[in-house]
Amino acid sequence: MAMPPKPWPTGLVEQPEPLVRRVLAPNPSPYTYTGTQTYIVGAEHEVAVIDPGPAEDDHLDAIIAALGDAKVTAIMCTHTHRDHSPAAKPLAKRKGAPVVGCAPLVLEVDGPRSDEAFDTTYEPDRVLEDGEQMTGPGWTLTAVHTPGHTSNHLCFALEESGALFTGDHVMGWSTSVVIPPDGDMGDYMKSLDKLYTREDSVYYAAHGAPITKPRQLVRGMIGHRRQRENQILRLLGEEATNIEKLVPLMYKNLDPRLTGAAGMSVKAHLIDLERRGIVSRLEEKGHLEDIWQTA
Ligand SMILES: [Zn+2]
């Protein structure tokens, strides 16, 4: 989706509903849209901060200014991609607040896994299990486990208003990128099904505008993923081939900067289909060069 016209509200405090404020970080990119949105939950003297964002001084200062003299009960991260959690540590230090939420990942610094997208500084004081809650005056946030985009991804439900903070699991501006090995398309689909069974009134994603018809969007996303799956099966039915050749056939008018991400999403689908016994590798040449066929 094209970027919205400037000016963007970078660094400003916006209030989509009485219990929720948000501050946009200065990190726009083809992956983050206009940037990461940090949310502040609570209208009184004790609040929670969701997805503090990148550890950039301007953004930290904007969050601190928005907080005023409110006490921060919890700094909560949906997952540990670098545009979401690195500000947790410096913010915790400046506000004397605990970091609570998603689990840390066991990352490979060297070797075949590419972990550069992950925040290696993330050290939570407490990890929330599915259904566990954090509370403050007038607010209750429930952790909803939604692995897929990353294996440690959580959404947070604001019980008082019916809002759901969806991190990168579901966004209005783009489909979520699922990058193996940590990203898992099978888990991602299950996590979409999980949201479809819920009755949230609005989604606040880390990137992009609030989503006011959440179930309709989730249904569309489930359909979109099935369509991608069918597309892969149709193309492999014509000819066994590799990911590099599949991407331009599947993604028309793709922003060239997103070719790598598209390839990883196709790979995530292929791994999921392989696990289900629907496709297999005809030749293993490594990464994007493997030749895939219908089983
Ligand atoms: Zn992410």
Side-chain angles (χ1 to χ4, degrees):
M1 190 186 282
M3 293 282 196
K6 286 189 174 181
W8 301 333
T10 311
L12 304 177
V13 183
E14 297 179 291
Q15 187 156 23
E17 62 173 87
L19 277 174
V20 178
R21 286 170 288 161
R22 72 167 182 240
V23 180
L24 176 64
N27 63 338
S29 79
Y31 292 95
T32 59
Y33 196 50
T34 57
T36 305
Q37 297 173 118
T38 297
Y39 291 96
I40 299 171
V41 177
E44 294 178 48
H45 51 281
E46 286 179 32
V47 302
V49 175
I50 295 177
D51 282 344
E56 290 185 23
D57 287 339
D58 285 355
H59 186 53
L60 273 164
D61 290 344
I63 298 170
I64 299 270
L67 290 168
D69 49 17
K71 181 184 165 203
V72 178
T73 306
I75 298 167
M76 303 171 78
C77 298
T78 58
H79 65 299
T80 49
H81 272 148
R82 280 203 169 160
D83 54 321
H84 289 257
S85 57
K89 207 166 228 180
L91 184 63
K93 214 173 194 178
R94 281 172 73 170
K95 293 300 285 185
V99 177
V100 173
C102 71
L105 292 178
V106 181
L107 296 171
E108 281 180 28
V109 180
D110 304 313
R113 273 185 61 170
S114 168
D115 289 333
E116 72 270 13
F118 287 95
D119 168 21
T120 52
T121 68
Y122 179 72
E123 280 179 298
D125 297 289
R126 187 179 149 200
V127 171
L128 293 180
E129 297 300 321
D130 189 42
E132 269 199 281
Q133 295 186 323
M134 294 297 297
T135 58
W139 58 266
T140 311
L141 287 166
T142 307
V144 181
H145 275 209
T146 45
H149 172 69
T150 60
S151 60
N152 62 352
H153 197 287
L154 300 181
C155 294
F156 299 114
L158 177 58
E159 301 299 338
E160 285 75 6
S161 77
L164 186 74
F165 297 91
T166 54
D168 282 359
H169 179 46
V170 174
M171 301 180 282
W173 76 279
S174 159
T175 53
S176 185
V177 177
V178 178
I179 296 178
D182 185 67
D184 185 306
M185 192 59 75
D187 286 348
Y188 184 72
M189 293 296 289
K190 278 182 215 143
S191 293
L192 283 182
D193 288 343
K194 184 171 184 174
L195 291 204
Y196 193 62
T197 63
R198 296 175 51 88
E199 300 207 338
D200 304 297
S201 58
V202 62
Y203 288 169
Y204 296 122
H207 312 279
I211 296 149
T212 52
K213 290 184 177 156
R215 290 186 82 233
Q216 197 174 311
L217 182 71
V218 170
R219 193 177 57 214
M221 285 188 156
I222 293 169
H224 170 77
R225 294 296 180 178
R226 291 214 182 105
Q227 217 178 323
R228 285 279 182 231
E229 225 179 67
N230 290 336
Q231 212 179 359
I232 289 172
L233 292 176
R234 186 169 48 76
L235 289 166
L236 290 187
E238 289 167 11
E239 170 186 33
T241 189
N242 66 19
I243 292 169
E244 263 177 338
K245 297 209 175 95
L246 286 170
V247 168
L249 297 172
M250 292 175 62
Y251 296 81
K252 307 289 176 199
N253 310 317
L254 180 68
D255 179 337
R257 294 171 298 180
L258 295 177
T259 307
M264 294 313 277
S265 271
V266 174
K267 187 172 183 178
H269 273 296
L270 287 166
I271 291 171
D272 181 44
L273 288 164
E274 182 182 44
R275 214 183 281 154
R276 287 153 56 198
I278 301 169
V279 305
S280 63
R281 289 175 220 230
L282 181 65
E283 269 181 73
E284 289 202 33
K285 297 181 169 181
H287 194 47
L288 300 179
E289 281 79 49
D290 281 354
I291 309 284
W292 296 82
Q293 63 182 356
T294 46

